Amino acid sequence: MPLTNNQYNSIMQQYEDLRIRHRREREEKLQKIYETVPGFKELDEQTSTASVEFGRRIISGEKLNKSFLDSKLSALAGQKAELLKKAGYTADYLDFEYKCKDCKDTGYIGNEKCHCFKQKIIETLYDKSNLRSLTQECNFANMTDSYYKGEDLDRFRGLRKVAEEFISSFNTDYQNLFIYGPVGTGKSFMTICIADELLKRGNSVIYFGAIGLFELISEYAFDFKNKAWLRAVYDDLYDCDLLVIDDLGTEITGNFVSRELFSLLEERKNRKKSTIITTNYSLEGLQSIYSDRIFSRITGNYKILKLSGPDIRKEKKLAQKDQGSEKRT
């Protein structure tokens, strides 16, 4: 699905705002260095003067080797780094703190869109779940096993270990996860934690509830005028580094959904693109809803993991209610 001009311009404005912020922050740091590190400003001025003088001499017709300028600038940079170190600053203190070091917050590497730009496109077009905002709460730093006991605790710890291994080997090993279990046991929380870590590492992630996914596909599939857009939707769903389908089985099932789900799983398998699926159904329940070939694809190509325990959302609500009662008394 292509971006509109307004959507594209909005993304580019985000990058421009980032670069403006970087320049402002560096100017503030530089002013602080000028005021607290004797001799640094003079060396900085010599750096500017050396470059300007070299350019002037080239324009005037002198045949100069650029290595001469490079050597001089390198010596000045070394002296500045030494002054920063002696003053208690790191050598890279004045470097721009780019959000994406690969494209330096421009959105492009050469003429190609950076992975961070591609993820912004995904978030603009497909992120009805507001994945970025969900990761503020659902992340490994906020994860706790305090709600689990006995066998439930063993399963949770096993799933967390698998999730960490999934993340660490994501860019080298093709793998898929299928997580099932009762409502509220933490399946979605875990998948968002995984998505959060992979986003931080520069991977593209599309996160959909099953209902929203098949509504999106059907929206374009049954409109002849939107066939080109449907092709673009398929390309994005097939090619993103990680596709998460949350709550499989909550959608209205039928021949259309079964066909689209099978095609999606098959194409991502052929392209070695990882997928995570969660469901509240048991394996037997899932088999009764979908065709044998879908069930076969999942059990044959996915690591099957069960999560059990109390409904954590209810536990949290009860705890909040109890806290409210204590405050009133």
Side-chain angles (χ1 to χ4, degrees), residues 15-46:
Y15 283 113
E16 177 60 22
D17 291 344
L18 269 178
R19 294 194 296 274
I20 290 172
R21 190 181 77 191
H22 295 329
R23 289 194 291 269
R24 183 174 63 249
E25 289 174 347
R26 188 181 187 280
E27 283 301 317
E28 291 173 354
K29 287 182 177 181
L30 186 60
Q31 189 59 40
K32 180 180 179 181
I33 293 299
Y34 284 168
E35 294 171 357
T36 59
V37 182
F40 191 94
K41 184 176 182 179
E42 289 73 15
L43 289 175
D44 221 19
E45 290 172 347
Q46 289 180 45

Side-chain angles (χ1 to χ4, degrees), residues 1 125-126 128 206-240 243-245 248 251-252 254-268 275:
M1 188 189 308
L125 297 177
Y126 303 113
K128 294 181 180 179
I206 294 182
Y207 187 101
F208 261 113
I211 294 175
L213 173 62
F214 294 111
E215 282 181 348
L216 173 73
I217 295 174
S218 64
E219 179 182 349
Y220 297 104
F222 297 111
D223 186 346
F224 180 77
K225 294 180 181 179
N226 282 325
K227 291 298 180 182
W229 283 57
L230 178 63
R231 183 68 264 163
V233 168
Y234 281 141
D235 286 342
D236 292 335
L237 293 174
Y238 294 158
D239 279 331
C240 64
L243 173 66
V244 178
I245 306 175
L248 185 68
E251 76 285 356
I252 299 174
N255 291 335
F256 172 78
V257 168
S258 294
R259 182 177 68 251
E260 292 298 324
L261 177 59
F262 179 80
S263 297
L264 183 56
L265 299 184
E266 189 72 2
E267 187 61 33
R268 287 189 64 80
T275 305

Side-chain angles (χ1 to χ4, degrees), residues 273-290:
K273 295 292 186 178
S274 294
T275 305
I276 298 177
I277 298 174
T278 74
T279 184
N280 298 327
Y281 283 89
S282 65
L283 293 178
E284 293 78 12
L286 192 73
Q287 188 174 21
S288 68
I289 296 174
Y290 299 101

Side-chain angles (χ1 to χ4, degrees), residues 27-236:
E27 283 301 317
E28 291 173 354
K29 287 182 177 181
L30 186 60
Q31 189 59 40
K32 180 180 179 181
I33 293 299
Y34 284 168
E35 294 171 357
T36 59
V37 182
F40 191 94
K41 184 176 182 179
E42 289 73 15
L43 289 175
D44 221 19
E45 290 172 347
Q46 289 180 45
T47 300
S48 299
T49 301
S51 298
V52 171
E53 178 62 18
F54 184 84
R56 186 192 64 75
R57 292 173 65 181
I58 290 291
I59 292 173
S60 67
E62 289 188 56
K63 293 183 178 181
L64 301 175
N65 193 321
K66 190 173 180 297
S67 62
F68 171 77
L69 174 63
D70 292 340
S71 178
K72 189 169 185 178
L73 293 178
S74 179
L76 288 169
Q79 293 176 54
K80 289 193 290 184
E82 187 62 28
L83 285 180
L84 287 175
K85 184 178 178 181
K86 287 181 178 180
Y89 296 96
T90 59
D92 61 354
Y93 177 74
L94 290 172
D95 291 352
F96 287 118
E97 296 180 6
Y98 295 115
K99 190 172 182 180
C100 178
K101 291 182 171 57
D102 296 328
C103 69
K104 295 181 172 57
D105 291 340
T106 64
Y108 282 81
I109 300 176
N111 294 321
E112 297 294 324
K113 291 184 179 71
C114 181
H115 57 80
C116 65
F117 194 112
K118 293 177 182 177
Q119 184 60 32
K120 285 182 181 293
I121 293 175
I122 286 172
E123 291 169 5
T124 299
L125 297 177
Y126 303 113
D127 195 12
K128 294 181 180 179
S129 65
N130 295 315
L131 178 59
R132 288 285 187 182
S133 62
L134 290 175
T135 60
Q136 299 304 307
E137 178 183 354
C138 301
N139 53 66
F140 282 111
N142 291 336
M143 183 174 284
T144 176
D145 60 9
S146 61
Y147 294 98
Y148 305 92
K149 296 178 181 179
E151 186 179 24
D152 299 336
L153 180 59
D154 292 338
R155 284 175 174 158
F156 170 79
R157 288 176 174 171
L159 176 56
R160 173 159 186 167
K161 182 179 180 182
V162 169
E164 291 170 345
E165 292 172 349
F166 180 89
I167 294 164
S168 64
S169 61
F170 185 81
N171 291 319
T172 55
D173 296 331
Y174 165 65
Q175 51 195 322
N176 303 297
L177 303 180
F178 181 86
I179 308 170
Y180 73 101
V183 174
T185 49
K187 302 182 298 296
S188 297
F189 191 104
M190 184 67 78
T191 60
I192 295 169
C193 288
I194 294 172
D196 179 44
E197 290 300 315
L198 293 177
L199 286 171
K200 290 175 181 176
R201 297 173 183 224
N203 297 109
S204 58
V205 179
I206 294 182
Y207 187 101
F208 261 113
I211 294 175
L213 173 62
F214 294 111
E215 282 181 348
L216 173 73
I217 295 174
S218 64
E219 179 182 349
Y220 297 104
F222 297 111
D223 186 346
F224 180 77
K225 294 180 181 179
N226 282 325
K227 291 298 180 182
W229 283 57
L230 178 63
R231 183 68 264 163
V233 168
Y234 281 141
D235 286 342
D236 292 335

